[in-house]
Amino acid sequence: MDGHSTPKGAWRITFLLFLFMVVNFADKIVVGLAGVPITQELGLTPEQFGLLGSSFFFLFSITAVVVGFVVNRVDTRWVLLVLALIWAVAQFPMVGTVSFTTLLICRIILGAGEGPAFAVAAHAIYKWFPDHKRTLPTAILSQGSAFGVILAVPALNWIIVNHSWHYAFGALGIVGLMWAAAWLALGKEGPLVPTAAMAAAETRIPYARLLTSRTFIGCVAATFGAYWALSLGLTWFTTYIISGLGFSQHQAGLISITPWVFGAAVVMLTGWLSQLLMGRGASSRLARGVLGAAPLVLGGLILLTMPLIDNPTGRIAALVIGSGLCGSIYVVCPPMIAEFAPVSQRGAAIAIYGALYTLAGIVAPLVMGSVVQHAASLNEGYLTGYVINGAVMIVSGLLGLLLLWPNTERARLLSSSDVAPVGLRKPA
């Protein structure tokens, strides 16, 4: 393998990992989709429901970092299998009668298993594609989030409406076991890894320098704003449609698909356009950095208009478009980090990036819950929460535009006197 061509089987692995992310986001969306019946059955306040949404992320970042270092030494094939099994097992306790505490604990366990998912999957895919061909597979992997919701919402909502929200969790557990069986049979480790000689010659960058580089900080800042919007979509969107705008559970289930359909289009368009620009010689600063960060600013500005719109359809449209534009940043940041992070450190670097930006998942649902509970009316509380979301996105996008310079980052990092080829460094 010359390192410039795509190995046989790469797209099969990409499809399996796409399905991995489909399951991942179906698991995430179920609490938000069943938010109203869960709240009614368990007697939850808005702040308690916000806590339930945030609980998913309590261990999310910690496990993302830990597993990120693990995959520097352990084959991603086995790590992905273990993660999928954790997801499945964490769903089954909700099939029977469950307390708020049990539901909270299961969501924390699920979040611990899902925290490393995208970083490990991206690291696995990068063992199958050379650098100049990674943006499109990354976009497909990111699409798993949208399709996880698009495919899962109608099925899960049918179960919720016609049977019980409890059975929706059980269905997800069964699907998780099915993916694990398919991966065990078909999953393989990619061949594009350094040889022993290449690893010995590879320059290693101290993590303190790598993680404080301008582009790494820019990726974290920009994606933090995007994930603020995403976590609100996972937790609060359906509840807002029902409680804030007056739609039924059945109607809300159909409407809840729209942000993910739009987001899917944004992600695929970004992946295609980024790879096209790179192929035509554009710098990754433009083809990845600007292309990923600018839509955040535009999306945030659109969310700021929501209080000025006086009809439900217009507000849904602003929320769908404003939040959906965030998808661009997920496509471009992992390839940007892979541009300057040494291969032996890439898995950990992408995982730490994920651990940091997903901290928004802890904060955003809690902020929305607190704002809604203390507002003069439910509708006023939701609108204030989405205006806050818009402001966060604008700041994050501007920081991304300022800091994302991946095309020159590696040269800056290697110019330091404290980096040296791995083979010349003293053993740790």
Side-chain angles (χ1 to χ4, degrees), residues 266-321:
V266 169
V267 166
M268 288 306 295
L269 179 62
T270 302
W272 172 80
L273 184 56
S274 176
Q275 196 142 309
L276 178 67
L277 291 170
M278 292 284 285
R280 293 185 176 181
S283 70
S284 57
R285 156 71 177 167
L286 173 63
R288 289 172 174 170
V290 175
L291 187 64
L296 276 166
V297 179
L298 178 59
L301 291 171
I302 292 172
L303 289 186
L304 293 186
T305 68
M306 285 183 65
L308 306 177
I309 302 171
D310 60 1
N311 65 87
T313 302
R315 285 179 176 169
I316 291 171
L319 184 54
V320 167
I321 296 170

Side-chain angles (χ1 to χ4, degrees), residues 194-204 342 344 410 414 420-425:
T195 63
M198 291 168 62
E202 184 184 44
T203 301
R204 189 175 181 85
S344 63
R410 186 166 179 83
L414 294 180
V422 173
L424 300 179
R425 295 175 68 88

